Amino acid sequence: MSLAGSCVALHLRFLRCCGYCRLAGGDGYPPLLRWLHHAYRYFALALMTAYLLQQCVYAYQEQTDMDKLARVMFLLLCHVTSITKQIVFHVDAERIDEMITGLDDRLYNEVSEKQAQLLSTTCVRAARLVRVYTGTAFITCTLWIVFPILEYANGRPVDFPFWAGIDYNHSSIRFLLVLLYSYYATSLEGIANTTMDAFIATILYQCQTQLKILRMNIEILPDRARAIVKKESNQKYEAVLWKLFIECLTHYKKITSTSKILQDIFGTVILIQFAIGGWTLCMAAYKLVSLNVLSIEFASITLFIMCIFIELLLFCYYGNEVKVESDRLVESLYAMQWLGTPLRFQRSLLVFMERAKQPLRPVAGRIIPLSLETFLTIIKSSYTFYAVLRQTK
Amino acid sequence: MMTKVKAQGLVTDLMPNIKLMQAAGHFLFNYHSDNSGMSMLLRKVYSSVHAVLIVVNYVCMAINMAQYSDEVNELTANTITVLFFAHSVIKLLFFALNSKSFYRTLAIWNQSNSHPLFTESDARYHQLALTKMRRLLYCICGVTVLSVASWVTLTFFGESVRFIANKETNETMTEPAPRLPLKAWYPFNTMSGTMYIAAFALQIYWLLFSMAIANLLDVMFCSWLIFACEQLQHLKAIMKPLMELSASLDTYRPNTAELFRASSTEKSEKVPDPVDLDIRGIYSTQQDFGITLRGAGGKLQTFGQPTPNNPNGLTQKQEMLARSAIKYWVERHKHVVRLVASIGDTYGTALLFHMLISTITLTLLAYQATKIDGVNVYAFSTLGYLTYTLGQVFHFCIFGNRLIEESSSVMEAAYSCQWYDGSEEAKTFVQIVCQQCQKAMSISGAKFFTVSLDLFASVLGAVVTYFMVLIQLK
């Protein structure tokens, strides 16, 4: 895999193990393995849908009990966002593959030494992000199975937040089965959900890095042209200048198209995530204040809140970074030594500057921009919901 | 080892501010004339002692807040004070951690380009910037001293009590507290005697130094913005002569000699060496001394051969001066852009913290303001806090706003000069500059918000809204 493409390598490995993302097209997998993996993916989707339905039934049954309803609702909402993303990965698998192979493009990977360092830093940071984030989710899920085990061990009745259809309180085997089912479903969902979020954020991060590289190339464009002419004396300065300029233009077009594909595929999902994320935050906070500070449940709910927080922040932060970086493109175009270049080149530079004035703004669902202002708005709204909920208590 | 550090650029201009910051205890160890090991150690010890005293007293205040947190009014008042002085602690730490970034910004203007025809304008705007920076510094120093004086004076009025909630009857009682400017927990008894005087003296020192620490850093930030604005003014002012110079290269214009006569009698009569045709060479502070251009009685003096295709009969030297003028303008503008970017990178996070804390403080102050019931100590102290906090926010918002205005008005200046008479090169130059200037240069608080008067208006609006709503709820 190329340097730019390897930033999502770890994410794809996790997703393929969980059965969310399909196997890569070009690799030499035998057709049987492909078919099996295909079946595994459908199994994962069926499992998640079944679990969601079970939660819905439970929510319907317990609609009068505020506490239990809150407990199941925030898990349910989380699963809704996770399933929407899973469906997108199924339906749009073709385009996702296209986007990933697009990262291996020559334009993204033909870089100088300093820029290669930038790319490898991106990879390292992306890998770290997915490990930390997915690890937190996994720990949270593990903590959640501790309470049922403790309660069962103490002889108290256990109440799983989904409709199981069987009575598990009086039989150890049934209890174990239901427990394992719950553990498998929630951890699969937790790991896959966080990895998918990290995947989207990493593509945005890669766009930002590519923009940085583009800006570095632009700022020294005439100097690079001069160096090439000095090395290969048969080339003319103006021709080299022109070639490098067109390369920068094509690079910019490629970055724009990657960002656009990402937006097209995941735009609606991110919008749903924002809407539900705010609501989930306030429900979890509502549950949190009624718990004892030193209990394990408090710790697990806090971890859960942190996961949601980070989920929202990831998109907003990286979207913001892409916008900021593309805003600086005009400055970089201005900062190059354009004074002294041929007039024809300066006029083309003007057209490029005119295009670069439109910043690359990733939006969710065509309306809501991914930026830090959006993040603050969501936090404020969820606090308002929470305050209102407290009043109705 | 006595090495003289040559102060130049921004450092020279901001030297009084830097010296005051060093006196107040900031961890600013550069820009001293004496860099020997012993004095460095002394300075580090001085700053550390100040830092320790400030943090320790701050922690004492926080302990006091935690101790008396039962009664709502007492808690609110103590929280406001603690948040108010959080600025100082944060700014002290911020500078200590980020001093490299500050030094880098201060060093950005160490080497600036110059052009013989524009040195007079450059010097004039530089002097303007200097005057404004000094005036700002004196003003803020005066305000700081006045605030400390009025705080200490106000301590002697009113009852020196604190509110306690009586747990059985749920009423608020008053308990006598030491008559000190700040409520803090001390390990010794400060009600009276020598300990009282010692605590009082400590608190006066603490008030003065912590306010100075926060304010001086803000003054430095605003001074940078003043400098950038005056540089932009200079660039706008020389746009017109620049266009005329460029026009003189290929259209006939009367009185071309006037263009080449610089008003100042000093160094601006020097011409750069025509051999050094690589235009990068003009980007330097040295000037090659050549023949003067000033003719007697405004007549065009020709030195050497006039270039054949020049309708105004300019010499090669004059033509080069004209061409290099655009280069000077562009390089100077890029330099200003770099300066503003560096300022934003250096101070952005500090502004974010400042706004966060100020927002919470102002919300609590709006609540406190609803409880004012007459002209007494409480009213004065609440209004004092309010004015001071709003003043701090206003301080950097107004300079941030001026930067935005100045940088976007460069485009108007470019358009309002006679660009149609300029050469093709000049017209393309105007176009490219306009592209860059359409996006105003602004300082952002770590990408969360832009520092402008809009920000101040929204903060003020929020405070007034909370106040109105709370009054209604009473």
Side-chain angles (χ1 to χ4, degrees):
Chain A
M1 268 199 123
S2 65
L3 199 52
S6 59
C7 67
V8 285
L10 193 60
H11 306 70
L12 291 171
R13 193 144 37 105
F14 282 175
L15 286 174
R16 284 173 187 144
C17 283
C18 292
Y20 276 54
C21 181
R22 71 179 190 188
L23 290 173
D27 296 345
Y29 291 118
L32 180 64
L33 200 65
R34 267 187 204 284
W35 188 88
L36 277 174
H37 193 260
H38 213 63
Y40 177 50
R41 279 173 63 224
Y42 276 104
F43 165 70
L45 183 61
L47 177 74
M48 286 292 123
T49 322
Y51 194 65
L52 184 69
L53 285 171
Q54 284 175 308
Q55 285 187 315
C56 288
V57 171
Y58 182 82
Y60 179 71
Q61 282 176 339
E62 304 285 347
Q63 58 189 288
T64 45
D65 187 344
M66 215 29 205
D67 252 345
K68 287 196 179 163
L69 192 63
R71 190 177 163 215
V72 78
M73 276 306 273
F74 65 71
L75 277 176
L76 188 121
L77 292 171
C78 217
H79 279 199
V80 165
T81 60
S82 169
I83 281 215
T84 16
K85 280 183 247 180
Q86 191 176 11
I87 293 175
V88 164
F89 261 86
H90 266 267
V91 167
D92 260 334
E94 196 66 52
R95 285 211 291 171
I96 293 178
D97 277 341
E98 186 192 313
M99 185 173 68
I100 296 171
T101 41
L103 287 178
D104 288 330
D105 193 275
R106 178 192 72 91
L107 274 170
Y108 277 174
N109 292 294
E110 259 179 24
V111 288
S112 71
E113 220 178 271
K114 197 165 155 220
Q115 294 164 349
Q117 216 173 13
L118 254 182
L119 280 176
S120 53
T121 319
T122 311
C123 289
V124 163
R125 288 211 186 132
R128 200 186 302 154
L129 172 73
V130 77
R131 280 198 206 102
V132 166
Y133 194 32
T134 308
T136 321
F138 187 64
I139 294 175
T140 316
C141 292
T142 316
L143 274 178
W144 271 341
I145 61 157
V146 169
F147 319 120
I149 294 180
L150 281 177
E151 287 196 4
Y152 192 75
N154 286 340
R156 286 200 292 271
V158 182
D159 190 18
F160 283 109
F162 60 91
W163 173 82
I166 54 174
D167 179 19
Y168 42 76
N169 267 317
H170 297 107
S171 158
S172 287
I173 299 187
R174 285 194 203 156
F175 174 74
L176 207 61
L177 274 174
V178 174
L179 183 77
L180 283 174
Y181 171 69
S182 164
Y183 185 48
Y184 179 62
T186 41
S187 9
L188 191 74
E189 188 262 336
I191 293 175
N193 197 15
T194 48
T195 313
M196 285 192 286
D197 290 334
F199 175 74
I200 299 173
T202 307
I203 303 275
L204 284 172
Y205 188 20
Q206 182 66 241
C207 284
Q208 185 219 357
T209 314
Q210 289 297 329
L211 277 170
K212 265 208 190 113
I213 293 177
L214 174 67
R215 280 180 49 229
M216 282 163 79
N217 282 341
I218 283 178
E219 276 173 14
I220 53 171
L221 192 78
D223 307 315
R224 279 194 301 152
R226 230 169 269 138
I228 291 178
V229 167
K230 211 179 278 184
K231 237 181 13 176
E232 304 162 24
S233 47
N234 59 334
Q235 310 232 19
K236 281 181 67 180
Y237 175 64
E238 190 163 337
V240 175
L241 199 65
W242 207 248
K243 189 171 79 110
L244 290 175
F245 182 68
I246 303 222
E247 226 173 70
C248 287
L249 260 176
T250 334
H251 193 184
Y252 182 62
K253 262 196 238 173
K254 182 95 185 42
I255 298 173
T256 325
S257 78
T258 308
S259 163
K260 192 161 183 307
I261 296 180
L262 185 76
Q263 214 174 283
D264 278 341
I265 301 176
F266 291 110
T268 327
V269 160
I270 300 179
L271 181 67
I272 297 176
Q273 179 119 0
F274 280 165
I276 290 185
W279 186 236
T280 315
L281 262 181
C282 85
M283 302 224 81
Y286 184 76
K287 184 101 182 29
L288 192 72
V289 291
S290 58
L291 293 173
N292 177 20
V293 181
L294 296 172
S295 59
I296 308 180
E297 204 171 353
F298 185 85
S300 80
I301 301 260
T302 315
L303 272 176
F304 180 72
I305 288 187
M306 264 166 51
C307 273
I308 304 272
F309 224 74
I310 296 176
E311 201 171 35
L312 295 173
L313 184 63
L314 265 182
F315 295 142
C316 293
Y317 177 73
Y318 284 113
N320 199 59
E321 289 288 291
V322 170
K323 174 172 166 288
V324 163
E325 206 61 47
S326 71
D327 270 339
R328 292 211 185 129
L329 197 59
V330 176
E331 276 174 34
S332 293
L333 284 165
Y334 185 67
M336 78 153 101
Q337 290 288 356
W338 48 266
L339 205 53
T341 52
L343 227 52
R344 226 176 109 226
F345 176 79
Q346 285 184 18
R347 293 219 179 95
S348 316
L349 190 69
L350 272 172
V351 180
F352 193 2
M353 277 173 118
E354 194 63 50
R355 171 66 184 90
K357 273 199 307 208
Q358 296 276 7
L360 212 62
R361 259 188 359 152
V363 280
R366 292 174 218 263
I367 336 167
I368 304 185
L370 295 179
S371 72
L372 290 173
E373 282 104 23
T374 314
F375 180 67
L376 285 177
T377 316
I378 295 177
I379 301 293
K380 275 193 226 164
S381 317
S382 45
Y383 180 71
T384 316
F385 286 151
Y386 165 74
V388 168
L389 268 182
R390 288 269 291 179
Q391 291 292 61
T392 61
K393 195 178 180 186
Chain B
M1 168 194 53
M2 297 270 278
T3 42
K4 273 252 171 253
V5 168
K6 186 163 155 276
Q8 40 180 328
L10 272 173
V11 177
T12 337
D13 297 341
L14 288 171
M15 199 43 107
N17 196 349
I18 292 177
K19 288 284 172 222
L20 277 173
M21 278 172 73
Q22 288 169 339
H26 268 294
F27 290 86
L28 216 177
F29 301 125
N30 282 15
Y31 315 124
H32 287 281
S33 47
D34 173 14
N35 277 331
S36 64
M38 194 61 211
S39 27
M40 269 307 217
L41 185 66
L42 278 175
R43 281 178 213 130
K44 288 199 168 117
V45 166
Y46 179 76
S47 296
S48 315
V49 165
H50 276 297
V52 163
L53 279 174
I54 288 181
V55 172
V56 160
N57 201 34
Y58 187 72
V59 168
C60 291
M61 282 166 62
I63 295 176
N64 176 68
M65 177 178 92
Q67 253 186 338
Y68 295 102
S69 56
D70 295 327
E71 212 279 321
V72 171
N73 290 327
E74 187 73 18
L75 179 65
T76 321
N78 284 340
T79 315
I80 290 176
T81 316
V82 164
L83 284 174
F84 190 77
F85 288 102
H87 289 303
S88 311
V89 177
I90 289 181
K91 293 215 160 95
L92 185 66
L93 278 172
F94 183 78
F95 189 87
L97 295 170
N98 258 12
S99 37
K100 281 214 173 43
S101 178
F102 278 88
Y103 295 148
R104 193 173 43 233
T105 311
L106 281 166
I108 273 195
W109 210 266
N110 279 356
Q111 292 274 61
S112 67
N113 61 348
S114 69
H115 193 273
L117 298 172
F118 301 132
T119 39
E120 185 266 334
S121 172
D122 192 8
R124 181 158 34 101
Y125 283 100
H126 187 212
Q127 196 53 42
L128 257 174
L130 208 63
T131 327
K132 287 191 183 164
M133 291 196 272
R134 295 285 149 89
R135 216 183 288 153
L136 180 71
L137 182 65
Y138 298 150
C139 181
I140 297 294
C141 285
V143 165
T144 312
V145 169
L146 190 68
S147 309
V148 173
S150 38
W151 195 313
V152 171
T153 324
L154 211 59
T155 320
F156 292 109
F157 290 89
E159 301 178 317
S160 135
V161 291
R162 62 167 75 95
F163 294 109
I164 308 270
N166 190 332
K167 291 215 171 34
E168 294 103 56
T169 60
N170 234 11
E171 279 175 0
T172 22
M173 302 183 319
T174 58
E175 177 193 81
R179 194 178 274 277
L180 290 171
L182 298 160
K183 292 199 176 117
W185 170 88
Y186 290 116
F188 41 84
N189 180 17
T190 51
M191 282 305 285
S192 59
T194 42
M195 284 291 116
Y196 170 72
I197 302 197
F200 203 96
L202 172 71
Q203 288 201 349
I204 293 184
Y205 149 80
W206 194 85
L207 274 176
L208 188 64
F209 274 69
S210 53
M211 281 197 189
I213 282 177
N215 289 344
L216 285 172
L217 207 59
D218 280 339
V219 169
M220 176 164 272
F221 168 69
C222 294
S223 305
W224 286 338
L225 292 181
I226 291 175
F227 186 82
C229 289
E230 293 306 320
Q231 284 297 321
L232 287 170
Q233 292 266 38
H234 162 59
L235 286 173
K236 285 194 305 188
I238 61 173
M239 187 60 110
K240 194 155 184 293
L242 188 71
M243 280 296 133
E244 290 185 3
L245 270 175
S246 164
S248 73
L249 282 173
D250 45 23
T251 35
Y252 173 70
R253 304 190 62 75
N255 297 328
T256 328
E258 293 293 320
L259 293 173
F260 289 91
R261 179 206 323 241
S263 353
S264 137
T265 48
E266 298 178 64
K267 299 182 186 173
S268 43
E269 296 169 352
K270 317 300 183 216
V271 180
D273 193 337
V275 174
D276 188 10
L277 278 175
D278 175 18
I279 45 180
R280 246 185 268 254
I282 294 194
Y283 192 155
S284 67
T285 47
Q286 322 160 296
Q287 286 142 341
D288 270 324
F289 303 128
I291 319 159
T292 66
L293 290 169
R294 177 165 291 182
K299 252 192 352 209
L300 198 59
Q301 286 240 308
T302 55
F303 299 91
Q305 294 291 2
T307 21
N309 44 9
N310 192 301
N312 292 311
L314 296 176
T315 64
Q316 208 184 14
K317 288 189 185 93
Q318 289 172 327
E319 199 172 301
M320 235 211 12
L321 263 186
R323 288 193 198 285
S324 63
I326 293 186
K327 159 102 188 172
Y328 167 77
W329 200 102
V330 172
E331 292 300 323
R332 184 52 78 94
H333 192 237
K334 286 187 199 171
H335 205 171
V336 176
V337 171
R338 277 206 304 279
L339 173 67
V340 172
S342 181
I343 295 175
D345 286 337
T346 305
Y347 210 63
T349 323
L351 287 172
L352 178 67
F353 284 131
H354 190 120
M355 285 312 297
L356 264 173
I357 296 182
S358 294
T359 314
I360 306 176
T361 317
L362 284 168
T363 317
L364 291 171
L365 278 170
Y367 170 65
Q368 290 285 75
T370 57
K371 294 186 289 182
I372 294 180
D373 50 3
V375 180
N376 51 15
V377 172
Y378 179 77
F380 275 116
S381 64
T382 311
L383 285 175
Y385 273 116
L386 207 52
T387 344
Y388 195 93
T389 316
L390 283 172
Q392 275 182 321
V393 175
F394 183 72
H395 182 216
F396 53 77
C397 283
I398 193 148
F399 287 110
N401 200 64
R402 183 154 179 250
L403 179 71
I404 295 176
E405 283 179 358
E406 286 295 332
S407 60
S408 40
S409 68
V410 174
M411 191 169 73
E412 287 162 35
Y415 185 71
S416 63
C417 65
Q418 286 162 329
W419 50 267
Y420 39 82
D421 277 339
S423 59
E424 287 308 306
E425 203 183 314
K427 284 189 220 163
T428 321
F429 149 72
V430 168
Q431 261 185 305
I432 296 186
V433 162
C434 284
Q435 288 283 18
Q436 163 69 3
C437 294
Q438 272 179 22
K439 181 167 162 282
M441 288 195 274
S442 62
I443 306 283
S444 84
K447 301 174 199 142
F448 270 90
F449 55 83
T450 321
V451 175
S452 70
L453 281 178
D454 287 333
L455 180 70
F456 177 70
S458 71
V459 164
L460 189 62
V463 171
V464 171
T465 314
Y466 289 149
F467 179 70
M468 293 296 183
V469 168
L470 287 168
I471 286 267
Q472 293 291 26
L473 289 178
K474 266 187 70 138

